[in-house]
Amino acid sequence: MFDCGKIAIIGGGSWATAIAKIIVGKTHHIGWYIRRDDRIEDFKRLGHNPAYLLSARFNVDEINFSSDINKIVQNYDTLVFVTPSPYLKNHLKKLKTNISNKFIVTAIKGIVPDENLACSEYFNQVYDVPDENIACLGGPSHAEEVALERLSYLTVGCCDREKAQAFADVLANDFIKTKTSSDVIGIEYASVLKNVYAIASGICSGLKFGDNFQSVLISNAVQEMTRFLTAVHPIERSVYDSVYLGDLLVTAYSNFSRNRTFGTMIGRGYSVKSAQIEMEMIAEGYFGTKCMKEINRHMHVNMPILDAVYNILYERISPQIEIKLLTDSFR
């Protein structure tokens, strides 16, 4: 029977904090890599993350903090990566420790830029972590609601279902329900695409489109996601499962959604840079849009919503013009 052993969190943002809250509630000990020493000191003093999810309280005696990623990696068996995808490579460049024998869980809902690889592919190809030692975590789960202990459903994906179940058991509690899947790459790509579609939803909201059109937009987004997942990893799956459709819906509609907020600002006339500055938090979908556009140049899947968001964000085409063209293609 697989045992996750000692578990560590890699990353200090809101989703990392929410996952840490779940895990330490079950294990009563975690390692936690946070890159800034001043944040660690504030965390120890205050009993909560000083920058994110301030309401999530921790017993800091149950946490082994370090700003040295190697110290954490050397001493823990399961490493849960929860950094923004654009920064993953910079954190990993500091590694001097072999991670090929670790159990890697990626809770990153993004693509590794430049290589344009899903995180599981990146760990496999660059760090020689075998597929059976790589899992992903997905599902409709805003960090803010998890921190408030509102009922949420998470899916652990791994080709080794015993390992997936072992980690799912660590997460399961009164407010977290879990299930497992073997569709690692499908879950990862769906989690990237839903951010792109949430930006589209926000743009349309900023342009004053109503709920009637939003439903048509998301209906088409589901079809577009299905086409891409079928092309990139043609297995039998139901895109209506919560890890696909549920995550798309909550990201497209929720006020907690950074990507929807970012899109709304773009729809209201903000430039990309001004929207990013005002948000002060990363909207993964901005980076994911470019990565997915480049990936799809090789896949040749019909993806009009992705194309429209890319044109608005990167080609600086007017949102009014681009969304009008998009509306004409919907039925």
Side-chain angles (χ1 to χ4, degrees), residues 199 258-266 272 275-276 279 283 313:
I199 291 176
R258 301 177 198 175
N259 292 283
R260 178 185 167 87
T261 299
F262 175 72
T264 301
M265 295 170 77
I266 299 297
V272 167
Q276 289 172 323
M279 282 186 64
L313 298 183

Side-chain angles (χ1 to χ4, degrees), residues 200 203 289 293 303-313 317 322-323 326:
I203 290 171
T289 297
K293 177 72 173 179
M303 304 186 76
I305 303 174
L306 170 68
D307 292 341
V309 175
Y310 178 84
N311 289 340
I312 291 167
L313 298 183
I317 294 178
E322 196 61 45
I323 298 300
L326 191 62

Side-chain angles (χ1 to χ4, degrees), residues 130-312:
D131 287 337
E132 61 269 20
N133 279 357
I134 301 173
C136 67
L137 183 62
S141 48
H142 283 307
E144 294 83 357
E145 293 203 349
V146 171
L148 292 169
E149 300 189 2
R150 291 179 178 169
L151 184 61
S152 302
Y153 291 66
L154 297 176
T155 299
V156 180
C158 183
C159 67
D160 186 325
R161 294 297 279 265
E162 183 181 316
K163 292 178 179 177
Q165 189 61 57
F167 190 68
D169 289 343
V170 171
L171 298 173
N173 60 31
D174 290 343
F175 61 93
I176 298 292
K177 295 189 181 296
T178 60
K179 62 184 290 189
T180 64
S181 168
S182 60
D183 186 22
V184 176
I185 202 72
I187 291 170
E188 287 187 288
Y189 274 118
S191 71
V192 177
L193 284 171
K194 57 96 178 181
N195 286 335
V196 177
Y197 302 141
I199 291 176
S201 176
I203 290 171
C204 293
S205 176
L207 291 172
K208 303 296 187 185
F209 283 85
D211 292 343
N212 291 344
F213 176 72
Q214 287 281 357
S215 68
V216 176
L217 172 69
I218 300 306
S219 296
N220 279 268
V222 174
Q223 297 171 52
E224 186 168 305
M225 178 185 286
T226 303
R227 288 195 296 271
F228 183 84
L229 295 184
T230 301
V232 76
H233 189 42
I235 64 167
E236 187 174 332
R237 68 168 64 82
S238 173
V239 78
Y240 305 115
D241 282 353
S242 63
V243 74
Y244 311 104
L245 178 59
D247 203 6
L248 168 60
L249 292 175
V250 77
T251 312
Y253 291 145
S254 173
N255 290 328
F256 286 127
S257 171
R258 301 177 198 175
N259 292 283
R260 178 185 167 87
T261 299
F262 175 72
T264 301
M265 295 170 77
I266 299 297
R268 289 175 178 167
Y270 282 73
S271 68
V272 167
K273 180 151 284 193
S274 61
Q276 289 172 323
I277 290 170
E278 184 155 326
M279 282 186 64
E280 297 180 345
M281 296 175 81
I282 286 181
E284 286 268 19
Y286 171 72
F287 303 96
T289 297
K290 185 179 182 186
C291 293
M292 291 304 304
K293 177 72 173 179
E294 291 172 354
I295 290 168
N296 197 42
R297 286 197 176 105
H298 305 288
M299 301 297 297
H300 306 295
V301 178
N302 178 30
M303 304 186 76
I305 303 174
L306 170 68
D307 292 341
V309 175
Y310 178 84
N311 289 340
I312 291 167

